[in-house]
């Protein structure tokens, strides 16, 4: 009988524990909020997206690409050390520009330009003339200009030189500069030499 009472007491205890657990669960379920958040206003969708703005991104990319390309191009041109404009010539040498043959595509147009040169800066020139070339100007063009000046001025002594030296001390000088071929550093060096020698400098002829 005592053993049976112990078994019944244990069974009742287990039953009571289960009932208490179920009671707690039911109580928690009653207090649980069905909707953890509440919508205050109805959502609205704008006509234009806020982000990402593809047009702005594309514009920024284009501008950045243009700036980067420009900087690289300028750095490359500076590295090549070539002259690309009359403004740059005037920046590095003090003598006037007496002619521009860049748009003269044939011998006839070059001939007309040289005739104007002979009637202007080279008119009544008493000294012998020397053409000073800055870097690799096509020899055929230099020869044509030299021969034409000799013919129009009746001067037998028209020299071509690539540097200032003793052989041209008694000559008037015309500096030949080719846009896109002549180097900036060589132009600066020629200008330094011209400022300390006594030759008469007529000016710069652009090729």
């Amino acid at each position: 009988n005592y053993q049976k009472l112990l078994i019944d007491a244990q069974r009742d205890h287990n039953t009571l524990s289960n009932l208490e657990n179920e009671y707690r669960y039911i109580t928690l379920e009653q207090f649980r909020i069905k909707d953890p958040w509440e919508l205050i206003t109805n959502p609205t969708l704008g006509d234009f997206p806020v982000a990402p703005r593809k047009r702005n991104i594309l514009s920024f990319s284009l501008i950045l690409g243009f700036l980067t390309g420009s900087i690289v191009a300028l750095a490359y041109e500076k590295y090549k050390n070539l002259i690309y404009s009359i403004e740059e010539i005037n920046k590095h040498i003090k003598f006037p520009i007496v002619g521009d043959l860049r748009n003269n595509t044939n011998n006839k147009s070059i001939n007309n330009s040289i005739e104007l040169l002979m009637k202007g800066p080279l008119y009544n020139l008493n000294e012998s003339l020397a053409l000073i070339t800055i870097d690799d100007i096509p020899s055929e063009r230099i020869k044509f200009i030299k021969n034409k000046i000799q013919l129009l001025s009746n001067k037998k002594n028209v020299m071509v030189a690539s540097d200032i030296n003793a052989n041209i001390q008694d000559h008037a000088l015309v500096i030949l500069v080719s846009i896109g071929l002549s180097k900036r550093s060589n132009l600066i060096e020629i200008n330094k030499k011209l400022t300390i020698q006594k030759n008469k400098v007529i000016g710069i002829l652009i090729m």
Side-chain angles (χ1 to χ4, degrees):
N1 290 335
Y2 178 73
Q3 188 69 29
K4 183 179 180 182
L5 291 174
L6 288 176
I7 294 173
D8 290 341
Q10 184 64 40
R11 185 184 301 115
D12 292 340
H13 177 73
N14 292 337
T15 300
L16 180 60
S17 296
N18 291 333
L19 289 174
E20 288 177 347
N21 291 334
E22 290 180 2
Y23 176 75
R24 293 191 190 96
Y25 176 76
I26 292 172
T27 303
L28 290 174
E29 287 293 321
Q30 289 178 348
F31 286 99
R32 178 180 294 176
I33 300 174
K34 294 182 179 180
D35 295 325
W37 51 269
E38 182 180 357
L39 187 64
I40 299 175
T41 58
N42 293 326
T44 57
L45 183 63
D47 296 332
F48 303 99
V50 175
R53 297 182 181 273
K54 295 182 180 180
R55 182 177 299 178
N56 291 349
I57 294 175
L58 178 60
S59 300
F60 177 76
S61 300
L62 290 174
I63 294 173
L64 182 61
F66 174 77
L67 292 176
T68 302
S70 299
I71 293 172
V72 171
L74 288 173
Y76 179 66
E77 295 302 335
K78 187 174 182 180
Y79 170 77
K80 289 200 300 184
N81 192 32
L82 298 179
I83 296 172
Y84 285 100
S85 68
I86 294 178
E87 290 75 13
E88 192 169 8
I89 294 175
N90 290 329
K91 177 181 178 181
H92 296 297
I93 198 166
K94 65 178 182 178
F95 304 104
I97 294 174
V98 296
D100 188 347
L101 304 181
R102 286 178 297 171
N103 295 325
N104 300 70
T105 57
N106 53 59
N107 289 344
K108 182 178 179 180
S109 59
I110 295 175
N111 182 74
N112 293 335
S113 296
I114 294 177
E115 287 181 355
L116 292 175
L117 185 63
M118 297 305 301
K119 294 177 181 178
L122 296 181
Y123 184 70
N124 288 335
L125 181 66
N126 296 320
E127 300 93 336
S128 297
L129 186 66
L131 304 177
I132 308 299
T133 61
I134 307 294
D135 296 303
D136 298 326
I137 300 174
S139 58
E140 298 82 5
R141 205 170 199 193
I142 295 175
K143 183 178 180 180
F144 180 86
I145 293 172
K146 172 187 174 183
N147 292 339
K148 187 63 180 177
I149 291 175
Q150 283 180 324
L151 178 64
L152 293 176
S153 64
N154 295 321
K155 289 183 179 296
K156 295 181 179 180
N157 188 15
V158 176
M159 293 182 58
V160 176
S162 59
D163 198 2
I164 308 298
N165 53 55
N167 295 329
I168 60 173
Q169 283 185 353
D170 298 326
H171 291 65
L173 307 181
V174 172
I175 314 300
L176 304 184
V177 179
S178 180
I179 300 293
L181 291 177
S182 297
K183 292 182 178 180
R184 185 184 307 107
S185 56
N186 291 339
L187 182 64
I188 294 173
E189 185 63 26
I190 287 291
N191 184 60
K192 289 179 180 179
K193 292 179 179 180
L194 290 175
T195 56
I196 60 176
Q197 56 85 44
K198 298 180 180 180
N199 292 75
K200 178 181 179 180
V201 179
I202 304 299
I204 303 167
L205 182 60
I206 299 176
M207 309 295 288

